[in-house]
Amino acid sequence: MTNLFRTVGTGLVFLWAAGLYSAAATDVSPLITEAPAGFDGLTNGLVDQATFDADREAFEERDGVADGLGPVYNAQSCAECHQSPLTGGISQITELRAGSLLNGVFTSHPGGSLINDRAIHVDAREYVYDTDNVRTLRTSLNTLGDGFVEAIEDQTLLSIAQGQPSFMRGQAIQVDVAEMTGARRVGRFGWKDQHGSLLSFAGDAYLNEQGVTNRLFPDENTSNGASVAAYDAVPDPEDIENDIDRFAEFMRATKAPPLDAVVAATPAAIAGSALFNAIGCNVCHTRDIVTAAPGTSINGGAFIVPSVLGNKRIHPFSDFLLHDVATGDGIVQNGPASTRTKLRTPPLWGVRTRGRLMHDGRSLTMTDAVLRHGNEAALVGLAFRALSDAQTRQLLAFLSSL
């Protein structure tokens, strides 16, 4: 351990402190500009404000049974799970997942690991089995600024992983792009990096969270593996107006979560920012990433990066890779068996807007969340514990500015 730390004051400093980004992330080319940020409900420029407002209304619209809701579902609109401090943001909402682990092999609950909390008929409800010995909650995620995340080139994320120390190296997985048959991309959305495209993400969520079938996911979910056809009177696909396109356009047109500039400028937060790097938080919570150049073809050719999303520097405080930090939920989703104990590094931009932290929402303070870090993040946790009380307050001040 002595080659990984050095003493500063009464604390320890992680020696893998800086320079762990791809070349693109540190490019100072004049062609690269800051991505627009703000909790102001304004478009980032991808579409005009009127179109953005109409897309937001679609994102907020509550579906009923006649619209195809259910038969099993969790929410009636996208905004139910993404609304703090404004539509598209994070939320206190959690979803339930379950399965079984036997002899090291994970098997999803019948019908899939997602256990929907609601149903349009009592006989269609889903529930956890006694044999499901893997059970977890997952908090909903922020979608603000995700258009910039989608515009990150695969190689940028792979380069970030290669720049990380081997014992903390993130895992990138290739996932299907639902809107382009045969296309695959590095996953970056969802707790398991299960999607690399916002349109795929929207179509999947419309089916699995609201029960609305659509052109990308046209088959109705089951209830505990059993057909729900007896309770479903709406022909598939139910999204006949292709609302998933409007959901994706809304997310692509949102601004990134902004820094609290007043807090960030305080001496405590400035010192805490340096400590964030010094103890190694920035190894996984990558500060700066630059998106692909305008005109870049992504999602198997289904989307061309426009100028408003291309060559933008963002500050997500995430590498969007999968890591085992001893809090894994035990679920295998789109990735290989090795992802069972891993989760995507949650972006910290906008984290000050939420009070339930980590994937399961069980950590109620920043300190609680940091102290849960182990395995790949064990040395970072050790460095955090070695900070003086004053340094800890400084680090927390910085985190409260994000």
Side-chain angles (χ1 to χ4, degrees):
M1 188 176 70
T2 55
N3 64 326
L4 297 175
F5 291 97
R6 61 183 173 85
T7 301
V8 172
T10 59
L12 297 176
V13 173
F14 196 56
L15 291 184
W16 294 92
L20 296 175
Y21 313 118
S22 69
T26 55
D27 194 332
V28 293
S29 166
L31 296 176
I32 295 171
T33 58
E34 288 287 318
F39 289 142
D40 53 18
L42 300 178
T43 176
N44 63 22
L46 178 70
V47 296
D48 61 34
Q49 190 63 39
T51 302
F52 181 74
D53 290 341
D55 289 342
R56 184 182 62 239
E57 288 178 6
F59 198 86
E60 295 170 340
E61 183 179 9
R62 292 169 62 86
D63 287 322
V65 174
D67 303 308
L69 181 72
V72 291
Y73 69 103
N74 280 328
Q76 290 184 261
S77 74
C78 303
E80 275 192 39
C81 295
H82 305 284
Q83 61 177 320
S84 180
L86 72 166
T87 299
I90 50 188
S91 176
Q92 82 284 3
I93 299 296
T94 58
E95 65 172 29
L96 173 63
R97 289 187 178 266
S100 62
L101 184 66
L102 181 63
N103 298 323
V105 177
F106 174 79
T107 303
S108 292
H109 177 88
S113 66
L114 179 62
I115 311 296
N116 288 109
D117 286 321
R118 301 177 183 179
I120 64 173
H121 191 283
V122 63
D123 293 336
R125 73 179 185 88
E126 292 194 297
Y127 48 87
V128 172
Y129 291 172
D130 286 334
T131 52
D132 290 327
N133 58 5
V134 178
R135 307 166 183 183
T136 186
L137 297 176
R138 285 192 197 163
T139 59
S140 61
L141 293 166
N142 166 71
T143 68
L144 300 175
D146 271 356
F148 301 105
V149 177
E150 184 180 38
I152 300 170
E153 289 194 85
D154 285 3
Q155 188 54 52
T156 298
L157 299 179
L158 296 173
S159 295
I160 291 173
Q162 286 302 308
Q164 294 170 332
S166 59
F167 58 91
M168 294 179 71
R169 183 160 297 145
Q171 179 179 1
I173 62 171
Q174 294 282 337
V175 295
D176 292 336
V177 176
E179 63 265 36
M180 188 60 69
T181 302
R184 290 174 68 79
R185 193 171 192 231
V186 171
R188 63 203 65 197
F189 301 116
W191 279 108
K192 290 288 184 176
D193 275 346
Q194 59 264 36
H195 288 294
S197 147
L198 282 176
L199 186 55
S200 297
F201 174 76
D204 178 271
Y206 211 19
L207 172 65
N208 288 302
E209 303 297 340
Q210 293 178 241
V212 179
T213 55
N214 53 82
R215 73 176 189 275
L216 299 184
F217 298 88
D219 299 321
E220 198 69 71
N221 279 329
T222 65
S223 174
N224 302 309
S227 172
V228 294
Y231 316 106
D232 185 15
V234 183
D236 298 323
E238 295 154 335
D239 179 24
I240 57 176
E241 296 182 352
N242 288 317
D243 282 339
I244 59 174
D245 296 307
R246 301 177 72 182
F247 302 158
E249 184 173 74
F250 169 72
M251 291 185 284
R252 286 169 175 160
T254 57
K255 293 183 179 181
L259 193 71
D260 185 327
V262 174
V263 175
T266 63
I270 292 170
S273 177
L275 286 168
F276 184 88
N277 282 13
I279 68 172
C281 300
N282 66 329
V283 174
C284 302
H285 291 285
T286 307
R287 285 176 179 263
D288 308 312
I289 299 178
V290 170
T291 64
T296 301
S297 174
I298 62 173
N299 300 342
F303 188 67
I304 304 300
V305 176
S307 59
V308 296
L309 299 178
N311 279 348
K312 298 299 181 186
R313 181 175 287 104
I314 59 174
H315 311 284
F317 290 87
S318 174
D319 57 10
F320 301 100
L321 302 170
L322 298 174
H323 290 273
D324 179 355
V325 297
T327 61
D329 64 6
I331 302 291
V332 177
Q333 209 159 330
N334 290 30
S338 60
T339 63
R340 185 177 65 83
T341 60
K342 296 181 179 181
L343 293 164
R344 181 189 75 158
T345 304
L348 296 183
W349 57 5
V351 71
R352 70 184 185 279
T353 67
R354 87 180 307 158
R356 303 184 189 187
L357 306 171
M358 306 296 282
H359 78 277
D360 51 14
R362 292 174 56 193
S363 298
L364 303 182
T365 70
M366 292 288 188
T367 300
D368 292 344
V370 176
L371 291 176
R372 287 180 66 183
H373 285 56
N375 293 353
E376 292 179 28
L379 293 177
V380 178
L382 179 62
F384 176 77
R385 289 173 174 84
L387 295 177
S388 67
D389 289 345
Q391 289 172 320
T392 299
R393 288 192 295 272
Q394 290 168 341
L395 179 59
L396 296 177
F398 169 66
L399 294 174
S400 70
S401 74
L402 300 182

